[in-house]
Amino acid sequence: MIKIAVIVGLIIVGLLAAKFLDENAQKKVLIGLCVVAALASLGLVISELMR
């Protein structure tokens, strides 16, 4: 559970930091955060299933 909390916390920090960027950079950061979140979720699920 702590892994999920850390992932969500880092995503929130990234979104708050993205507010200070211009519109094009915000889109790139949002896409990047979505990709990272998806990979982290997938990695978490796979690691839990392999136990």
Side-chain angles (χ1 to χ4, degrees), residues 17-36:
K19 286 184 179 180
F20 299 106
L21 300 173
D22 63 345
E23 196 170 316
N24 288 335
Q26 281 182 353
K27 288 180 184 177
K28 290 178 185 176
V29 168
L30 183 61
I31 291 170
L33 285 175
C34 289
V35 168
V36 169

Side-chain angles (χ1 to χ4, degrees), residues 8-50:
V8 171
L10 289 174
I11 290 171
I12 290 171
V13 169
L15 289 174
L16 290 174
K19 286 184 179 180
F20 299 106
L21 300 173
D22 63 345
E23 196 170 316
N24 288 335
Q26 281 182 353
K27 288 180 184 177
K28 290 178 185 176
V29 168
L30 183 61
I31 291 170
L33 285 175
C34 289
V35 168
V36 169
L39 290 174
S41 310
L42 187 63
L44 181 66
V45 168
I46 290 172
S47 68
E48 291 297 323
L49 287 176
M50 292 188 72

